[in-house]
Amino acid sequence: MPPSQNNRNAPSDMEPNQKSQYQWLKDSGYGSVWNLGLSYGLNIHNPDDLEETMAILKGLRDMDQKAWEERQMAKK
């Protein structure tokens, strides 16, 4: 089975920083960078808005990773 179809780890079990950008956006409900930008009132065709969208994406992924790590520590 190709790695992209390997379902050994459920999305909630996989470290957020191990997910592709596409998979993270899909799992988080945004679906795409375009939709993420729109949800914050940004247009990714504008270079400044795209930069801000990518900064938001990084911040959200960092927060998701931190929350995942805290849940893992609580399990121990």
Side-chain angles (χ1 to χ4, degrees), residues 33-60:
V33 172
W34 173 261
N35 289 334
L36 174 64
L38 286 177
S39 70
Y40 285 89
L42 303 169
N43 178 351
I44 66 168
H45 293 295
N46 174 315
D48 292 335
D49 284 359
L50 176 57
E51 185 177 336
E52 186 172 349
T53 299
M54 297 311 287
I56 291 168
L57 175 59
K58 182 182 180 332
L60 291 172

Side-chain angles (χ1 to χ4, degrees), residues 8 10 17 23 25 29 32 34 38 54 56-57 66 72 75:
R8 278 185 302 139
N17 68 2
Q23 189 62 53
L25 286 164
S32 68
W34 173 261
L38 286 177
M54 297 311 287
I56 291 168
L57 175 59
K66 183 176 180 181
Q72 298 309 306
K75 290 180 182 179

